[in-house]
Each structure stands twice: as C-alpha cells, then as structure tokens.
Amino acid sequence: MKRKVIAYNLELTEALEKLDDQFKVQIFDSINPKTDPAFLEALKDAEGIVGLALPVDQELLDRAPKLKIVSNNSTGYNNLSIEVMSKRGVMGTNTPGVLEDTTADAIFGILLASARRIAELDHFVKSGNWQGHLTTAEYAIDVHHKTLGIIGMGKIGSAIAKRAHLGFDMDILYHNRTRNLEAEEKYHATYCNLDTLLKESDFVCLMTPLTPETENLIGEREFKLMKKSCIFVNGSRGKTVDETALIEALEQKEIHGAALDVYQIEPVKKGHPLLQFPNVVTTPHIGSSTYETELKMAELAVENLRAGLTGKLPKNLINPEVLN
C-alpha cells in the first residue's frame, strides 16, 4: 500500500507526478483545514504535507500522528509552528532561491504603477474621460533619479535595488538587521537607521519577513516621518504594517500614495477602506505569481518532501534540530 501525502492549495498538480510511484496523493484546495471532514480524515494517515499557507500548529499535529514532514511551497514559513514541529520530530522545509527576480519585478512594477498612476489613468481612458490634452490633474511623478529606501535588504530587496539603481539611476538607502556589503558595492546602497530612511526617501519599500519584531513595524509614527511626497510600497507581509495607521496617513495626506501587494487579511474584502483610494495600487499578492516561477517552487517543494520521506536530507530544511 502506498504511503499517504496531502497536497494543499498546490494548483500545479503536474509537479506532484514525481510522487505517484511511491505515494498516494490527496489533493485539497480552497477548504477550511479546521473543519473539512475529508481533510481531517486524511491527516490521520498522512506522512507528508506539501502546499501553501497551511497553518501547522499543535492542533493539526495532534490530528496527524504519522506526519514526518511539511513542505512549504513558499520562501516564508510563518504559517509553521517550527518549535512545536521540532518537538514532535516533524521536518519543515521551504523554497528559497526561486522567486527573487520574479517578486522584484512585481514589487518594482507596482512602485512604477503608483508613481506614474498607471492603473488610475488606465481607468481614466477606459471610462471615456480622456477628452483632450492632459491637465495637471492627471500628471504623475518621476521615478528616475529619486531616492528609494528599502527596509529589508535580503535577496529580494537586493534585486529591487538592482532594478532601481541600474535601471532608473535611483539612490538607494537601506535598513537591515545586518549590513549588505554586496548591495553597497554593486548598487551604491547606503546603510542607515530606520528613521533616517523614512525621512529621506521618496519611495519607501518594505521587504522584511514577518517576525514578532517586524509585526506592525510601520505605524503612525513611521508614516509621520515620511515625506508628504512619499509613496509607500509593501511587498513583505500584511501584518508588518498597521493598516489603520496607513489609512489615516492617506486620509490626512501625510504620504502621497501607496502600492500594496499584501494585506493583514487576505483576500481583501470588497468594502475595505484601502480599496477606496485612487492613489493606492492594490494587487492580489502576485509577488511570485508567474507560471514559470510557481512551477519551479512547486517542483522544489515536492523534491523536499520526497527527500524527507525517503530517508534523505531535504535541501531546504528549516529546522535541522529535528534530526537530533
């Protein structure tokens, strides 16, 4: 009898074909993992889980006594209770090194879209409001030769800095837990404290992982420090920003606008206040959402899972302490 594996919100099922020879794969999509009876039944015999954004906590682990590995189909893994998993002997893996360029394209893209009012003016044309030459009411702002402040200069932050500096002649300020000497050398990035970055940047781009230290990192105080001409860009996680403070900053015109790919609660409900601002670009967490990149991530997630279930060391093991 084949061993059981659960695939959760993994749409690219062609990546799962490599498991067919040894494992019985049960696929679940768009279900409530707390209440779905078929999912809860499958947990009883599942040895592995591969997928996206499944909350793996004590409750789920109690329902999955045979579980050996959870393979996250993402770089982030804040949905995994790593400490609890390690105590239970359950490996956790992720998929780094795949999505950096794709995500940087998307985040710099929404920065451009906000500055040049691309989505807003697309609607302007399609609504039949373009009757002649543009007036100052339709003018946008330049991106080139401005200052971009990046909070979180990891691989994606560095890829954004590359596009900004080499492509748009932007000056780069950055704030990070540690210095990124490569970014300083290649893109002339200047390391500074957070307050200096907020005060001096024309664009503030938040790219930190979500941790207890970064939750609500940007709030009322931080928005007040930004230039009134500043555009705020969030490509990290929704909970790194106090959305109430962001809404107030937009209402009070403390900042010029925003470009958001992530939100505190996803998907965003239709009546959310952030959706009412014409100067806010909103995309549905598209960072890595190209077919090529999503397939690479899914294949790596499956590779990690297969390794963990066949006695090999997964390439991207998050909690090596579990081996002890």
Side-chain angles (χ1 to χ4, degrees):
M1 181 179 294
K2 290 184 177 181
R3 298 152 71 187
K4 185 178 292 185
V5 165
I6 289 174
Y8 181 84
N9 287 351
L10 192 68
E11 291 192 15
L12 297 173
T13 53
E14 59 263 48
L16 299 172
E17 293 175 359
K18 294 181 180 179
L19 299 174
D20 287 344
D21 59 337
Q22 286 183 275
F23 305 98
K24 177 184 178 182
V25 182
Q26 285 189 262
I27 299 174
F28 295 90
D29 184 40
S30 300
I31 55 102
N32 185 336
K34 298 285 188 183
T35 59
D36 186 85
F39 179 80
L40 296 177
E41 183 64 26
L43 284 175
K44 294 178 181 179
D45 296 315
E47 295 188 38
I49 298 174
V50 58
L52 177 66
L54 174 67
V56 178
D57 52 15
Q58 183 71 55
E59 181 182 352
L60 183 142
L61 294 171
D62 287 343
R63 293 179 178 273
K66 298 182 180 180
L67 192 63
K68 295 179 175 63
I69 183 170
V70 179
S71 181
N72 237 28
N73 184 37
S74 69
T75 299
Y77 49 88
N78 52 289
N79 59 304
L80 305 182
S81 298
I82 292 296
E83 185 176 351
V84 179
M85 288 171 57
S86 296
K87 289 180 180 178
R88 295 287 291 269
V90 178
M91 292 178 281
T93 64
N94 64 339
T95 56
V98 177
L99 53 67
E100 284 80 6
D101 279 325
T102 299
T103 303
D105 286 349
I107 301 308
F108 198 76
I110 62 173
L111 182 155
L112 281 171
S114 180
R116 296 306 308 267
R117 301 172 65 182
I118 290 173
E120 186 182 353
L121 294 176
D122 171 75
H123 180 71
F124 175 78
V125 174
K126 289 176 178 174
S127 299
N129 292 321
W130 186 23
Q131 300 298 321
H133 70 278
L134 297 181
T135 69
T136 55
E138 288 83 49
Y139 287 177
I141 61 174
D142 282 331
V143 174
H144 62 85
H145 295 93
K146 295 289 182 68
T147 298
L148 171 62
I150 301 175
I151 306 169
M153 188 65 90
K155 291 183 178 179
I156 300 174
S158 294
I160 293 170
K162 176 182 179 180
R163 285 151 177 76
H165 182 68
L166 300 182
F168 289 79
D169 293 308
M170 299 183 81
D171 294 325
I172 308 296
L173 300 178
Y174 79 99
H175 179 72
N176 204 45
R177 287 177 297 179
T178 57
R179 296 275 294 270
N180 187 326
L181 299 180
E182 183 178 6
E184 292 181 17
E185 180 181 354
K186 288 184 175 181
Y187 316 126
H188 298 173
T190 301
Y191 179 80
C192 62
N193 62 46
L194 181 60
D195 285 5
T196 298
L197 182 150
L198 296 173
K199 291 175 183 177
E200 297 185 4
S201 298
D202 299 302
F203 301 87
V204 171
C205 184
L206 182 59
M207 297 304 303
T208 61
L210 177 62
T211 67
E213 292 74 30
T214 62
E215 187 167 353
N216 286 329
L217 177 66
I218 305 299
E220 180 181 1
R221 187 188 79 88
E222 288 71 29
F223 285 119
K224 288 183 182 299
L225 288 175
M226 296 179 194
K227 298 178 180 180
K228 289 189 181 298
S229 59
C230 179
I231 290 178
F232 172 70
V233 183
N234 190 8
S236 59
R237 288 291 186 268
K239 290 184 179 180
T240 56
V241 176
D242 181 341
E243 283 188 355
T244 300
L246 172 57
I247 292 166
E248 184 175 347
L250 290 163
E251 289 176 338
Q252 299 301 318
K253 301 188 185 306
E254 291 172 350
I255 59 175
H256 182 78
L260 310 173
D261 190 43
V262 290
Y263 313 87
Q264 286 195 350
I265 298 176
E266 298 178 3
V268 179
K269 295 189 181 300
K270 186 177 181 180
H272 196 291
L274 284 172
L275 305 184
Q276 313 308 313
F277 293 100
N279 57 330
V280 177
V281 172
T282 52
T283 50
H285 206 144
I286 64 170
S288 62
S289 297
T290 67
Y291 183 86
E292 299 95 327
T293 295
E294 291 291 345
L295 181 59
K296 287 179 184 177
M297 289 174 62
E299 289 175 339
L300 180 54
V302 168
E303 179 185 327
N304 285 329
L305 181 83
R306 187 180 183 89
L309 292 178
T310 56
K312 300 176 183 177
L313 182 67
K315 182 178 180 181
N316 305 111
L317 183 63
I318 299 165
N319 54 340
E321 63 274 13
V322 76
L323 302 177
N324 299 323

